[in-house]
Amino acid sequence: MAQALDEIKIGGLGASRRRVEDNRFIRGKGNYIDDIVLPGMLHMEILRSPLAHARINSIDISKAWDIPGVRLVLTGEMMASRNLAWMPTLSYDTQAVLATDKVRFQGQEVACVIADDPYIAKDACEAIVVDYEPLPAIVSPQQAVAEGAPLIRDDKENQHDNVVYDWEVGDKEGTDRAFAAADVISELELHYPRSHPSPLECCGSIADFNRATSKLTVYMTTQAPHIIRAAVALVAELPEQMIRIISPDLGGGFGNKVPVYPGYVMSILASILLERPVKWIEDRTGNLISTGFARDIYLRGEMALRQDGKILGVRMRTDADHGAFFSDAQPSKFKIGLMHSAFSCYDIPAAHLTARGTYTNKAPGGVAYRCSFRVTEAMFFQERMVQAAADDLGIDQAEFRRINFVRDDDFPHRTPFGFLTDSGQYGKCLDVGLEAVGYQDFLRQKEEAKREGRLLGIGISTMTEPLGAGNSREYDILGIKMFDSAELRVHMTGKALLRTGAKTQGQGHETTWAQIVAHELGIPAEDVTVEEGDTDTAPFGMGTYASRSTPVAGAAVAMVSRKVRAKARKLAAHLLEVSEDDIEWELGRFYVRSAPDRGVTIQECAMAAYSNMPDGMEPGLENNAYYDPPNLTWPFACYIATVEVDPETGVWDVLNVVAVDDCGVRINPMIVEGQIMGGLTEAYAMSSMQFITFDADGNCVGSNYMDYLLPTAWETPGFELHEVVTPCPHHPIGAKGIGECATVGGPAAFVNAVMDALRDTGARNIDMPLLPDRVYEALTERHDVSGAPPVRSDDG
Amino acid sequence: MLAGGQSLIPLLKLRFASPELLVDINNIPDLDYVVVDPDGAIRVGALCRHADLERSTLLTATQPTMAAAAPLIADPLVRNRGTLVGSLCHADPQGDWASVVTALGGHVVAQGPEGRRTIPVSEFVTGPFDTALATEEMVVEAVIPAPKGAPAGGYLKLERRVGDFATVGVAVAVEVAATKITRAGIALTGVGGATIEAVDAAQALVGEPLTADRIEHAGELAAQAAQPRTDHRGSAAFKRHIVRTFVVRLLDRVVDSREMAA
Amino acid sequence: MTSLFEEITSEPTDDVPVRRITLTVNGERRAADVEPRLLLAHLLRQGFRLTGTHTGCDTTNCGACTVLFDGSAVKSCTMLAVQADGHEITTVEGLGTASELHAIQEGFKDAHGLQCGFCTPGMMLAAKALLDENPDPSEDEIRWALSGNLCRCTGYQNIVKSVLWAAEKLRGGAEG
């Protein structure tokens, strides 16, 4: 009897296969955008506005032209003459490429210089003289809608105020009834401060227009190359098939590399004008001050509660600060993304959400940074409200969650906002987490410590979140449906080439997609090469963000493998001279049911596809699949953090972090754990130190790494990870996706822990970041600390 | 003048400074020392890196305030290049070494065409990023005077993460003989336009044993000497409170360490 | 001059200073004419096409540009190329050989110490400097030594594991 293949040994599902991409990264042979050099390439630098809101009276570029080595200087006026001063955004708004009439945020692009080297380009930028006339700046949604607020988007014909949208979802009447029947109403107001994905590699592009072939090739840091191709075709009015977008190795993305940035457009125009490749690599300041930020949203919530702990209804109100242009990449139907996925893990009869977005004099954005389309905000809000409600009722944190969890046998479950969750073992995940952290013991320790004047705290965060956007009935970006794709070609020697419409930025697709093929076809993963990112070769996809790749592109990989296997079955039947009905499959091999020793390997089928086809069969062994997911997937997580707060300084140390993740079937456990730890670190960062804020004039604090604080290995705690597996019922391999879960659910665990340590002070909330001075203030003044840290004041 | 360059080169890159001439002193031999003289004075050469001070077992044994501060300067990579003398000359109002050397009553030795001269650190910094050095002068070493009693003390820095500037930094340097404090220096980082020498607080400790009351009092005086601003690192009140807290903690440690030694 | 010619692309100006420097990079002697304001990181990347050293910030915070300068881990974005004259630089390309990876490289791969790979060269060189000085570091000592190198992807835990893996192998212990 032929030995069956060992799926783990060939790198199939569940194998902690070491990563293919590592081979080049550990040698320093990655191919990141700034590593790419094209013959004749020039360098572009951008001049940015120092003011947040100002009229531009004049721009004098004459001295810039005087510097030897300068090839081109572009201003908004010059772009406008080519209809390129403004471009459409992914949210049906417009965004300035180079400012013409006004600057609308500090750091906005005002001019650019293309020169022989980046140093000269920067020299020339310094020589450009701009005459600004300052205008009052708006730095919050509250200011934006206040009486007499200056109009930021006076460029838009039908815009008479600073409101971008008013939106609502849910059942207002039902929710009002629930509140009328409530025993207790719990309230909470939060600000989720502005943050920034800040991958370690900044954004950039190399535009290369070839006049002889009319082809435009753009190397670009993009998580969604096909969306970019469509956008460039639209904006530059070039034929789509003459545009090639190549996304090379990306040094992180986290949503920062989804939007179309003005720098890309400028580099494209410059290349067309100069007929030479033009490279633009932004610096860190440009990245932090102008590219897609995340969060910056005010949340107000109320929870209607019954005395026994049941949640009867939830009301949510969000005010989102969108910056100067509405440029979010998010499903077009939902103005505030999937904010209304909040509370999906709890069985709540009624809920209502109202949302407003406003323009402010800050960089555009809002949807980014592993947010799953505003789900980070939703789940933070949810778990902070849940903690407050449990406290208001006097019920234990874990118990309160248990009372309200959707039960294992309640699936499929329709949430009050209309989502359909389909699977989960919420109670079990909570049990595993509480056991791992030693919940009862910790509560005892907490009491003992209090007697010694020490403050310990424990914080729980549980959530299920919607991943894998999304089904074509409801999800689209700019009208393009959010499916994804895979194309598999098996060569005659049984090796394979797989291309997908996703784009990895560190998630390990080159390693994990091959594992799915290995699972479906029995071809060893190391025999499958994975390519992504080149729109000339990759099948159309919507890219990688919002943790959508495993649920959607991964599903496409499974489906295309099955299509190939179906053809291979026919070839096997031909080779074994039996009918297809007599053929059975085991990993890597077809065999005759009645004579199992008679079989052919998948590799033999591949060879036959080129050399021994049955009559009437097309040669070759390849196919593609476009996958329109039937529903979102719903991973669940329980994160628990324990902390100690120093009552004299407000400094808090993390004692333990326990993470229980149920993301369905894990393709590569090692990589899944890596994603979780990365997300927990971002959660820790946001809760403790990471933020961007502005003073009253719109000056940005947090536009460089001295002010925008990323934790180092020294501050970052260690993590204890646990696993529960509830397969996704509709995903071909039962996987749910994991990339953003810890970033989504993590922050509340840390904040809940610190607030738990401060329980006796009566303070219910400290807005992130929980810097020592803010914790100290809550401790000693015994009140909430709200809003972002103030930039400066003259007191003291 | 370019020694470590860890403060200067960032300024050049951001184009906040554009000197016409940059003099690189890194190849001058025999300036990378940290030595203890026979009388106990500590001399730090112009090219002695923060990392050398961090690794120096000499310092751990003889100069606890400096030994405590060295690992807290910037981050490990910056410490491999940056120098203590360079830090003093850069005169960043939020520099840590300035507080340490001030608390220790140290001075710098400047050398120029006219020869050498000694400048006490408290007179050396004349404003943000400005020193008393003449154009043709260079600091060749920093000197911590010989202690008469047993040195004790430390440096505490409230920073949001490694590499951050101090929200508040406190240097406490005392000398102990029998059970009394014979010399004291307290200097503060990040709570004023420059290093603040908490003279009254230090003076209040001299000639007396370290009792809990004395320690509290010194903390209070130091907090009063601070001139912090409210900003995104914290309110002025908070920063004063941290000054007080750190002074007390450092002095408590002095008490504990002496008891342990006894 | 590249073997046959060097194009003059603009009028030579007297006032652009140029210095000739000689240095050793990954054991190989190299020489270049540079402007004094050229950063060491850019000499390595754009000059010598050793693009394994990366730049990630403009304020000397992130450490992606870390190289070894006479064996000491430094941020190459905060040094001028002219300062390397007469000195030895090791970049990530000099960590292993053509046929054999350094234990640190193996450790990072085995323990999943990288995701996007951008911080990795700098992280590995800082780790090498640590292990050269301290062959048996504790987890705390590793975290302390790497606190000048930022990572956005991994959460550092696997980086620590990678360095422990490498330390054990270098000490002659069993792998992993």
Side-chain angles (χ1 to χ4, degrees):
Chain A
M1 179 78 181
Q3 183 109 48
L5 287 177
D6 179 333
E7 180 158 0
I8 298 294
K9 282 218 175 78
I10 65 162
L13 293 185
S16 283
R17 189 180 172 223
R18 298 309 188 260
R19 297 192 339 157
V20 168
E21 39 272 87
D22 288 1
N23 293 331
R24 61 186 184 275
F25 293 148
I26 58 178
R27 288 176 170 82
K29 297 290 184 196
N31 193 39
Y32 303 95
I33 189 88
D34 198 17
D35 301 341
I36 298 171
V37 175
L38 300 179
M41 191 173 76
L42 297 168
H43 298 265
M44 185 181 112
E45 290 286 337
I46 292 177
L47 177 69
R48 298 181 179 280
S49 164
L51 298 173
H53 198 196
R55 246 169 240 304
I56 297 177
N57 290 334
S58 65
I59 304 181
D60 178 1
I61 61 176
S62 54
K63 290 205 177 55
W65 274 112
D66 286 341
I67 296 177
V70 169
R71 302 289 168 176
L72 181 64
V73 182
L74 286 175
T75 63
E77 202 179 308
M78 296 160 74
M79 306 284 290
S81 69
R82 291 170 177 80
N83 223 16
L84 280 173
W86 291 84
M87 62 178 180
T89 71
L90 295 173
S91 285
Y92 295 108
D93 192 0
T94 51
Q95 173 172 355
V97 176
L98 279 175
T100 47
D101 55 332
K102 290 202 304 195
V103 290
R104 293 174 170 82
F105 66 93
Q106 186 184 55
Q108 184 177 352
E109 301 83 356
V110 170
C112 72
V113 174
I114 293 90
D116 290 348
D117 72 55
Y119 286 61
I120 294 175
K122 268 220 162 89
D123 291 343
C125 279
E126 293 217 309
I128 297 175
V129 181
V130 185
D131 180 24
Y132 295 104
E133 190 188 305
L135 297 167
I138 291 180
V139 294
S140 75
Q142 294 80 12
Q143 268 189 319
V145 299
E147 190 76 30
L151 184 63
I152 297 175
R153 296 301 302 279
D154 47 354
D155 61 287
K156 292 182 71 165
E157 213 176 290
N158 292 317
Q159 187 79 34
H160 305 297
D161 57 22
N162 293 316
V163 176
V164 183
Y165 59 80
D166 276 305
W167 192 71
E168 73 177 284
V169 65
D171 174 12
K172 184 174 190 311
E173 282 76 35
T175 305
D176 287 346
R177 281 198 298 279
F179 274 80
D183 294 328
V184 174
I185 294 179
S186 184
E187 295 175 1
L188 196 62
E189 269 190 55
L190 300 175
H191 176 228
Y192 204 135
R194 182 171 285 230
S195 207
H196 193 284
S198 189
L200 204 58
E201 179 205 33
C202 297
C203 301
S205 59
I206 306 174
D208 184 15
F209 180 69
N210 185 327
R211 176 70 61 194
T213 60
S214 299
K215 183 124 184 196
L216 172 68
T217 303
V218 189
Y219 295 83
M220 185 189 288
T221 52
T222 174
Q223 300 171 227
H226 291 96
I227 299 183
I228 298 293
R229 185 180 68 188
V232 170
L234 198 68
V235 170
E237 290 173 355
L238 291 169
E240 194 178 356
Q241 91 284 11
M242 297 306 289
I243 300 168
R244 180 182 186 190
I245 308 294
I246 302 176
S247 184
D249 286 330
L250 296 180
F254 311 118
N256 188 219
K257 293 171 176 165
V258 177
V260 183
Y261 293 123
Y264 302 150
V265 178
M266 288 178 237
S267 70
I268 291 171
L269 176 63
S271 180
I272 292 173
L273 292 174
L274 293 169
E275 296 185 19
R276 290 173 67 168
V278 173
K279 175 187 265 193
W280 168 64
I281 308 291
E282 69 180 356
D283 56 23
R284 181 55 62 188
T285 300
N287 176 256
L288 289 172
I289 210 174
S290 78
T291 64
F293 73 90
R295 326 281 191 265
D296 208 347
I297 184 168
Y298 293 83
L299 305 159
R300 202 173 352 118
E302 301 168 282
M303 206 176 248
L305 300 158
R306 211 164 62 194
Q307 199 59 61
D308 65 355
K310 197 82 182 69
I311 304 172
L312 301 175
V314 176
R315 253 189 219 126
M316 291 168 63
R317 162 75 190 178
T318 65
D319 281 278
D321 182 328
H322 282 279
F325 311 107
F326 186 32
S327 69
D328 292 338
Q330 68 184 1
S332 66
K333 201 173 149 191
F334 308 109
K335 293 299 178 197
I336 193 63
L338 303 183
M339 177 71 69
H340 56 306
S341 65
F343 300 99
S344 293
C345 67
Y346 302 114
D347 186 5
I348 301 177
H352 186 234
L353 165 72
T354 55
R356 160 175 283 184
T358 57
Y359 289 119
T360 59
N361 290 116
K362 303 176 187 173
V367 171
Y369 198 24
R370 269 172 135 160
C371 74
S372 305
F373 302 128
R374 295 283 189 184
V375 179
T376 37
E377 293 88 317
M379 299 307 162
F380 179 72
F381 191 41
Q382 168 194 302
E383 288 303 286
R384 291 290 299 124
M385 282 216 65
V386 163
Q387 166 136 323
D391 280 350
D392 288 348
L393 285 174
I395 297 181
D396 170 81
Q397 289 291 324
E399 206 37 50
F400 181 64
R401 286 171 170 84
R402 228 188 275 284
I403 290 168
N404 288 288
F405 273 157
V406 172
R407 267 158 238 307
D408 293 4
D409 48 18
D410 284 344
F411 294 108
H413 168 76
R414 180 75 61 185
T415 77
F417 286 124
F419 288 103
L420 191 71
T421 59
D422 56 31
S423 56
Q425 298 178 73
Y426 302 164
K428 178 170 178 189
C429 290
L430 180 60
D431 288 340
V432 170
L434 295 175
E435 164 93 32
V437 85
Y439 187 58
Q440 297 301 337
D441 275 338
F442 188 83
L443 293 180
R444 270 191 293 276
Q445 278 172 42
K446 196 173 113 175
E447 287 314 305
E448 279 162 29
K450 213 185 289 181
R451 287 193 276 278
E452 297 164 24
R454 291 168 53 219
L455 300 175
L456 299 186
I458 182 164
I460 301 174
S461 174
T462 52
M463 61 97 198
T464 187
E465 64 150 335
L467 296 189
N471 183 273
S472 58
R473 281 188 313 272
E474 285 194 293
Y475 293 90
D476 69 89
I477 293 183
L478 281 184
I480 307 171
K481 302 299 182 183
M482 297 181 70
F483 53 87
D484 228 290
S485 60
E487 188 183 279
L488 180 63
R489 181 175 308 161
V490 183
H491 304 320
M492 69 178 77
T493 55
K495 317 294 188 194
L497 178 62
L498 175 75
R499 293 182 170 131
T500 82
K503 180 67 188 94
T504 190
Q505 317 115 42
Q507 295 91 327
H509 292 176
E510 289 173 43
T511 303
T512 55
W513 293 160
Q515 294 184 241
I516 298 179
V517 176
H519 170 74
E520 296 289 341
L521 286 174
I523 296 177
E526 66 188 0
D527 289 349
V528 182
T529 295
V530 178
E531 290 180 356
E532 291 178 338
D534 182 340
T535 57
D536 267 7
T537 54
F540 189 97
M542 290 297 272
T544 296
Y545 42 84
S547 303
R548 61 185 299 273
S549 289
T550 291
V552 191
V557 173
M559 300 311 283
V560 75
S561 302
R562 290 176 191 181
K563 288 187 186 181
V564 165
R565 193 168 82 217
K567 183 168 185 180
R569 175 184 281 269
K570 292 185 170 23
L571 287 157
H574 170 69
L575 289 173
L576 293 166
E577 296 173 322
V578 296
S579 98
E580 253 195 273
D581 298 329
D582 297 330
I583 295 285
E584 289 282 357
W585 162 259
E586 65 181 5
L587 191 63
R589 182 175 176 262
F590 292 102
Y591 61 94
V592 179
R593 188 181 303 111
S594 55
D597 278 354
R598 290 193 59 224
V600 286
T601 63
I602 186 74
Q603 287 81 7
E604 286 167 324
C605 295
M607 178 59 78
Y610 294 83
S611 61
N612 185 3
M613 300 79 66
D615 286 339
M617 177 189 275
E618 258 185 271
L621 188 59
E622 65 186 69
N623 217 316
N624 61 25
Y626 285 80
Y627 189 77
D628 183 2
N631 189 9
L632 303 168
T633 66
W634 294 90
F636 179 86
C638 170
Y639 301 119
I640 306 181
T642 57
V643 302
E644 174 157 5
V645 179
D646 179 344
E648 283 193 306
T649 61
V651 172
W652 50 280
D653 288 322
V654 177
L655 303 172
N656 255 324
V657 180
V658 166
V660 185
D661 281 275
D662 181 354
C663 59
V665 170
R666 298 186 173 198
I667 301 168
N668 183 320
M670 179 187 81
I671 288 182
V672 168
E673 292 187 347
Q675 293 297 302
I676 296 168
M677 290 191 283
L680 288 171
T681 303
E682 290 175 336
Y684 172 69
M686 285 185 282
S687 65
S688 65
M689 64 180 74
Q690 192 179 277
F691 71 103
I692 294 179
T693 191
F694 296 80
D695 70 9
D697 296 324
N699 291 308
C700 179
V701 174
S703 62
N704 58 62
Y705 278 172
M706 289 195 302
D707 292 321
Y708 188 64
L709 301 177
L710 312 183
T712 71
W714 185 247
E715 296 83 34
T716 304
F719 312 110
E720 184 186 316
L721 307 183
H722 295 266
E723 169 188 352
V724 170
V725 179
T726 314
C728 173
H730 63 78
H731 189 280
I733 59 168
K736 293 185 174 180
I738 186 64
E740 301 176 316
C741 291
T743 311
V744 167
F750 293 107
V751 177
N752 282 349
V754 175
M755 295 319 300
D756 181 55
L758 266 50
R759 189 176 292 278
D760 292 346
T761 64
R764 270 163 119 247
N765 184 52
I766 303 172
D767 277 338
M768 298 191 286
L770 271 61
L771 293 166
D773 65 299
R774 291 157 75 79
V775 175
Y776 186 76
E777 182 183 336
L779 247 174
T780 50
E781 319 254 327
R782 307 176 81 82
H783 64 201
D784 289 356
V785 179
S786 306
V791 178
R792 61 164 177 262
S793 126
D794 290 326
D795 70 10
Chain B
M1 184 135 320
L2 181 64
Q6 302 300 288
S7 299
L8 180 59
I9 293 182
L11 288 183
L12 300 182
K13 288 164 64 177
L14 293 171
R15 297 172 181 243
F16 291 157
S18 299
E20 276 194 34
L21 191 64
L22 200 58
V23 177
D24 181 354
I25 64 167
N26 283 285
N27 291 326
I28 301 178
D30 306 323
L31 272 182
D32 57 353
Y33 56 86
V34 51
V35 296
V36 180
D37 283 349
D39 65 357
I42 296 181
R43 291 185 298 114
V44 178
L47 290 175
C48 178
R49 316 279 174 189
H50 306 305
D52 299 330
L53 298 169
E54 183 182 2
R55 285 186 186 80
S56 164
T57 46
L58 198 65
L59 229 49
T60 323
T62 58
Q63 224 334 301
T65 307
M66 286 182 75
L72 299 177
I73 310 294
D75 66 56
L77 304 173
V78 169
R79 291 199 287 278
N80 279 336
R81 291 297 299 169
T83 63
L84 179 153
V85 167
S87 169
L88 294 177
C89 293
H90 184 66
D92 188 325
Q94 291 187 285
D96 298 298
W97 281 127
S99 296
V100 171
V101 178
T102 299
L104 287 164
H107 61 264
V108 298
V109 175
Q111 181 167 322
E114 325 260 302
R116 289 192 168 206
R117 65 180 177 121
T118 295
I119 312 171
V121 139
S122 47
E123 290 165 33
F124 181 63
V125 174
T126 52
F129 306 101
D130 219 357
T131 67
L133 275 185
T135 325
E136 289 151 351
E137 275 183 317
M138 159 184 158
V139 173
V140 292
E141 68 178 12
V143 181
I144 310 298
K148 297 188 181 62
Y155 187 71
L156 285 176
K157 180 175 180 180
L158 182 68
E159 54 179 356
R160 298 168 296 178
R161 62 134 211 210
V162 169
D164 194 16
F165 282 109
T167 297
V168 175
V170 173
V172 165
V174 300
E175 291 172 24
V176 184
T179 59
K180 298 211 174 74
I181 303 293
T182 52
R183 188 203 165 267
I186 300 179
L188 314 174
T189 314
V191 286
T195 301
I196 291 191
E197 196 174 354
V199 177
D200 293 343
Q203 273 309 110
L205 295 170
V206 176
E208 304 288 339
L210 275 182
T211 62
D213 280 346
R214 292 224 155 266
I215 291 175
E216 287 295 329
H217 186 53
E220 185 51 47
L221 288 174
Q224 284 171 21
Q227 298 156 24
R229 270 182 14 155
T230 293
D231 62 17
H232 58 279
R233 292 171 197 274
S235 69
F238 173 73
K239 294 178 185 181
R240 275 188 217 280
H241 165 75
I242 296 296
V243 168
R244 184 186 306 113
T245 306
F246 279 1
V247 167
V248 168
R249 284 187 180 180
L250 286 167
L251 290 172
D252 279 347
R253 279 190 212 173
V254 172
V255 171
D256 288 343
S257 65
R258 281 165 54 213
E259 276 168 4
M260 285 188 324
Chain C
M1 287 266 290
T2 62
S3 53
L4 297 172
F5 78 101
E6 176 95 33
E7 182 182 357
I8 314 290
T9 51
S10 49
E11 280 308 305
T13 44
D14 296 326
D15 56 354
V16 176
V18 172
R19 283 289 172 72
R20 174 149 301 177
I21 60 173
T22 326
L23 59 157
T24 308
V25 182
N26 298 329
E28 197 185 319
R29 188 176 166 284
R30 304 191 75 152
D33 285 335
V34 303
E35 275 191 50
R37 66 174 178 163
L38 181 70
L39 298 177
L40 177 58
H42 294 151
L43 172 67
L44 295 170
R45 288 183 52 77
Q46 275 84 46
F48 295 146
R49 303 282 179 91
L50 295 167
T51 56
T53 304
H54 302 139
T55 54
C57 76
D58 17 345
T59 48
T60 310
N61 290 108
C62 79
C65 63
T66 303
V67 299
L68 298 183
F69 181 88
D70 294 342
S72 177
V74 301
K75 295 179 176 177
S76 65
C77 75
T78 311
M79 287 189 72
L80 301 173
V82 289
Q83 291 183 273
D85 190 22
H87 291 271
E88 277 185 39
I89 309 285
T90 307
T91 69
V92 62
E93 290 89 344
L95 205 47
T97 64
S99 51
E100 207 178 313
L101 291 172
H102 192 281
I104 291 176
Q105 291 168 304
E106 291 181 315
F108 269 73
K109 180 170 178 183
D110 197 74
H112 192 34
L114 63 148
Q115 291 181 22
C116 81
F118 204 71
C119 78
T120 308
M123 200 65 82
M124 292 192 301
L125 287 167
K128 178 169 193 307
L130 167 69
L131 294 183
D132 284 346
E133 192 182 321
N134 178 356
D136 192 5
S138 66
E139 178 173 337
D140 269 1
E141 286 171 324
I142 294 172
R143 286 177 177 270
W144 184 252
L146 298 181
S147 59
N149 294 83
L150 296 178
C151 173
R152 269 316 241 171
C153 297
T154 67
Y156 303 107
Q157 185 156 306
N158 280 350
I159 290 178
V160 173
K161 276 197 190 154
S162 303
V163 178
L164 289 170
W165 190 105
E168 185 170 355
K169 179 164 189 198
L170 288 169
R171 288 196 310 272
E175 281 175 35

